[in-house]
Amino acid sequence: MKKACLLIIDVQKGFEDVDFWGERNNPNAEVNMLTLIDAFRNTNLPVFHVQHQSENENAPLHPTKLGYQLKTGFEPKDYEPLFIKSVNSAFIGTSLKEELDKQGIHHLIIVGLTTNHCVSTTVRMAANYGYSVSLVQDATAAFAVTSYDGRKFSAQDVHESALSHLHGEFAEILSTEEVLAKWVRSSHYIQ
């Protein structure tokens, strides 16, 4: 079994702005993320954090806005790395790859926001770099979107579509419970 880490992407207060983002799926995603964070910390498995720093001054995730802050409970411990990014991929403009390689991590278990944007982009790049990836489907979420031709897609449809595009080629799609069983509760996997 490869050494794994939990990678938490963009769990920031700005995503609570319903007026800006609209309908969201997976209302329990943060609860599942916190369950995984606690489990990883309790078994001394590495936890990495990513925070999006928008360059658009009007965006909810701009550093001058309250929305830039990580949600309560998602603050990194002193010994947990935090990577600040300004694009969709957690690998671009950060030292994420270097830190993963330095710690000998070969498998990423990814959670966070949002499924079809920064989560998807990071999953794709991780796979392209040769890491194996598990994406936790009930510990990530998406927002409804309007297509280029005016069609509306629900948050759940956007989420399922993003997962379907990643499944098999870029990541294995797992539930929180499956991750706990595979990576946390099996003590011989703990690094």
Side-chain angles (χ1 to χ4, degrees):
M1 182 62 73
K2 298 177 178 179
K3 184 173 182 183
C5 80
L6 181 66
L7 181 64
I8 308 151
I9 299 176
D10 302 349
V11 186
Q12 293 167 251
K13 293 180 179 177
F15 285 117
E16 295 171 353
D17 186 347
V18 177
D19 292 334
F20 185 87
W21 299 102
E23 171 210 350
R24 191 190 115 168
N25 77 322
N26 267 0
N28 291 323
E30 285 83 353
V31 172
N32 291 327
M33 291 182 223
L34 290 171
T35 297
L36 290 169
I37 292 170
D38 287 345
F40 271 65
R41 286 175 175 163
N42 290 336
T43 52
N44 296 315
L45 287 167
V47 177
F48 287 14
H49 303 260
V50 178
Q51 186 173 11
H52 190 82
Q53 181 174 296
S54 178
E55 296 175 349
N56 177 350
E57 292 179 6
N58 299 315
L61 304 181
H62 188 270
T64 60
K65 305 280 172 72
L66 178 65
Y68 174 70
Q69 296 176 10
L70 295 171
K71 291 186 180 190
T72 303
F74 289 88
E75 305 85 359
K77 300 288 187 189
D78 291 341
Y79 54 88
E80 295 172 349
L82 171 65
F83 303 93
I84 308 293
K85 64 178 180 60
S86 60
V87 295
N88 297 93
S89 174
F91 288 97
I92 301 294
T94 74
S95 60
L96 174 59
K97 184 176 186 316
E98 290 77 10
E99 188 62 30
L100 291 168
D101 293 346
K102 181 175 136 189
Q103 292 196 30
I105 294 166
H106 302 285
H107 189 93
L108 279 61
I109 297 163
I110 298 181
V111 302
L113 302 171
T114 62
T115 317
N116 56 315
H117 289 118
C118 298
V119 170
S120 176
T121 305
T122 301
V123 166
R124 289 169 186 266
M125 280 202 70
N128 286 339
Y129 275 133
Y131 300 102
S132 56
V133 180
S134 297
L135 177 54
V136 189
Q137 53 87 8
D138 57 357
T140 184
F143 293 92
V145 298
T146 301
S147 178
Y148 62 91
D149 60 0
R151 286 185 296 157
K152 301 207 181 291
F153 294 91
S154 73
Q156 186 63 29
D157 286 344
V158 171
H159 180 72
E160 292 296 336
S161 177
L163 294 174
S164 297
H165 285 98
L166 297 170
H167 173 67
E169 185 173 358
F170 298 99
E172 65 174 344
I173 309 301
L174 299 176
S175 67
T176 297
E177 187 54 40
E178 288 170 325
V179 169
L180 292 173
K182 183 174 182 178
W183 292 97
V184 179
R185 293 189 186 122
S186 300
S187 60
H188 63 281
Y189 294 148
I190 297 171
Q191 300 296 320

